[in-house]
Amino acid sequence: VCSVPCFYCWLGINLISLNSRLFAQCCLYNCSSGEKSMVEDDDKIGLYSYKVQSTITSRLANTMIQAKMVNNAKRPQHIVFDVQVPKGAFIDNFTMDVNGITFTSSIREKSEARRMYSQAKAKGKAAGIVRSNALDMENFKTEVNVPPGTRIQFELHYQEMIRRKLSSYEHVISLKPGRLAKHMEVDVRIIEPQGIRYVHVPNSLGDHFNGITTISKGEKKAHISFKPTMAQQRKCPTCSSTAVDGNFVVQYDVNRESTGGELEIFNGYFIHFFAPENLDPLPKNILFVIDVSGSMWGLKMKQTIEAMKAILSELRAADQFSLIDFNHNVRCWRDNLVSATPAQVEDAKKYIQTIHPNGGTNINEALLRATFILNEAQNLGMLDPNSVSMIVLVSDGDPTVGELKLTTIQKNVKQSIKDEFSLFCLGIGFDVDYDFLQRIATDNRGMAQRIFGNQETSAQMKRFYNQVSTPLLKKIQFNYPQESVSDVTQSSFHNYFGGSEIVVAGKVDTANLQHLESVVTATAANAELVMETLRDVEELDGFMKKDKYADPEFTRKLWAYLTVNQMLAERNTAPTAALKRNITKSILQMSLDHHIVTPFTSMLIENSEKDEIMLADQPKDPRRGCCSGLTPNAPDNNKGIPPWANVTAVPVSFMPEQRSPPVLLLTPASFLYISVDNDPHFIIYLPKSQRNICFNINSDPGHILNLISDRSTGVVVNGQLIGAKKEENKKLNTYFGKFGFYFKNKGLKVEIDTETITLKDGSYSIMLSWSDTGHIIRKQLLISVKKESNVTIRVGEEMSFMVLLHRVWKNHPVNVDFLGIYIPPENQFSPEAQGLIGQFTSEPEVYIYNQRPGQTPEKPQATMEVKGNKLTVTRGLQKDYRTNRVFGTDVQCWFVHNSGKGFIDGHYKDYLVSHLYSFLKEP
Ligand SMILES: *[C@@H]1O[C@H](CO)[C@@H](O)[C@H](O)[C@H]1NC(C)=O
Ligand SMILES: *[C@@H]1O[C@H](CO)[C@@H](O)[C@H](O)[C@H]1NC(C)=O
Ligand SMILES: *[C@@H]1O[C@H](CO)[C@@H](O)[C@H](O)[C@H]1NC(C)=O
Ligand SMILES: *[C@@H]1O[C@H](CO)[C@@H](O)[C@H](O)[C@H]1NC(C)=O
Ligand SMILES: *[C@@H]1O[C@H](CO)[C@@H](O)[C@H](O)[C@H]1NC(C)=O
């Protein structure tokens, strides 16, 4: 009867409760005082089970929160189900069971849902659910008034993509049951086809729960279980309140073998996870713009100063920076960017310590000054072309001085940044229009974060900064075969920051496809990178079938998650109302198709008779920033000439194997298939006399042999020996385990071992692994890696080298992985070239005569005259592995004994050098 006053009473928080069989007795609330007279019976509500189950399948987390409660009081009670859902997660299902009556949910277009709800309400049959926002969680709250003895079960499902931050995935589950639960259990299962590197459960619920969590971790699966007993839940042995009140956090990371990223293909969708490591940071140009208006006074400023001092200390020598502080005025510590030398950093720290907050907030002026400084540096050519420029804005309030209109500020900033820099925004506390900060950040390739204005502020600022402090790549472009993929999510990104992960998804037509290939191009600190990844489209099928917890829909859900979040960000910055409407329509369709609650849908909860209806709606307050998912990189709108023209144009015929067959070649002997000897084993083809001459070098593991030392062209090639795991026939075989190439004129060094390929330019280095197919281009030097197979180094048109990888069975008792090198004859070394190979650039005169039977008939002997020496040589076979990497191809040659003595200049020991990049000493 009192539905009307209650309606008004609860309007403030959107809860509407009307008379009905279940939702009676709302009058017990004293609306005029706002007092809840029900509270006295609060402890009569029993929570007999509280369960959270979360399954992460390849970053896609499906979480279920279930509570079973009972009204033990003698009077009707309000039973509240109040849980927190991470911001950006999509609620996809809610069910409720009240004394056997089941309520199920459906997702509807917002206005339709509201209409249906108000119609039902008019008939006096409805209750409400409210969703409201907190910092990084959203509340989902249901209140139901039930008669005594009622049993009620709530179950909420939501899904989210776990983003990688600071080198780990963090899954946060809010655990606030509000009271002791008879049975409480949290189960988190992680299923990661890439393999799980580690799982860590920090003590985020407090020391009280030390040792209660159990973790079992396999190679690709992990299970985390937290089941505190009622006694363990109690705050103290005699307490009736629960100590379970906080976040349950699981951190983990996955294994990564390939720099080109991991392609997962399943059920008609592909997901590409890209998180390369082992790259040198790009230099950055960074402007800190700090709000020092009066509202920052006190703790906020103290914490900001502390954070800034730490952040400044972390700048790298190659970085350039400056500081701007603003209230109603804008002040600069330096009018231009300066290098982050220790002296400048010290000076900046001193400057920031002297700041006393007061006055108003002129955000517009401050941001325009910052972009002016960056633009000027750019125009004067002061910025390293490979560097990344960014502005970091720290503010705690809305503009109060100067330009106040947010849309005008947004337009001004966009115009002056011109898509050249990134803008990152930190909003401190709740006085700031966070939605605005998020809009200007995503509009300008950045991201925003809200942080509390409390003791944690400094730590949170540093954490945010650390996410963007290490740019590793810029201009990242993902390419897939157009004929087999469609609906690809954002595929070009301005920056990749260390510790994060870029995820691209799309639909893939696997009907006529065996493999899916991707090519990623990017600019690294010292090179242009082209990385190829190839995946069998059925590779995951077996794995997914075997695991009963894995979500077979994970690829579809990840794709939908990315697509919807991307459209939400695009909608935020859409220039025209028409486009906005279009995007809204697409988001709505996606939400309905994929059954997820987004800002344009609501959830209706009804019983089967459809005479009880509830509405789950989102708050409308824009200050709370309801709708924008955090997208780390704004889409690249910079259409026009692709910056990759140089890179993608690398013709395949660049590779020497496509040219005339190499004639001068050198290879180490193989392990199993050669009876003669396993030591590094050279085959030299002499074009004039059309003969192959072979020799072995018997030296020790660790020794570095010079192969080419050409001072005129500035080229050095050295090879370092490794030994087998143990002796065989009282002899320890050696192989080439590492090659060093030094191109002195370019200042470039290349190191290749059996694990990685590293290019070094001064203090920079860049690494590819043998498990990637990829290229590095730097100063006209091309390194092209064919996964697990070979590397070609090409220097302009003049020179090329090929290194072949020989993998042996990992557990082989004797053999180890090793390398071979092939040098084509077109290489233009100078006639002065030296080294075990280099000396043969000038072909010696060789006469072979007096062929006679040897010890065995298939190994005849002969006499060879070369360089004034008379040698006995043996006819034999050696292996060339270029066409057949496993068995090799037999090459007939004349074998020179005693480590090539007489055939090579001097003794083989004359070719030992001390470093991988040393020239041979002048003779
Ligand atoms: C409701 O609150 C008002 C104001 O505090 C008070 O005067 C009134 O007595 C209360 N009514 C009941 C039924 O408790
Ligand atoms: C929602 O959850 C209930 C209970 O687990 C289930 O029966 C129902 O099929 C789910 N609905 C959807 C659309 O997933
Ligand atoms: C909106 O979508 C329709 C149909 O998809 C299209 O024809 C129209 O050009 C779009 N309008 C804008 C402004 O993008
Ligand atoms: C691409 O090629 C053009 C013309 O050959 C050259 O000017 C430019 O510097 C090259 N860019 C890169 C990134 O190598
Ligand atoms: C290098 O490896 C690729 C891929 O395995 C292979 O196709 C190519 O023939 C190899 N090149 C040589 C010269 O062995």
Side-chain angles (χ1 to χ4, degrees), residues 576 578-579 582 585:
T576 67
L579 186 57
N582 260 15
K585 233 168 85 186

Side-chain angles (χ1 to χ4, degrees), residues 93 95 155 157 595:
N93 200 355
T95 52
E155 194 174 303
H157 293 249
H595 201 261

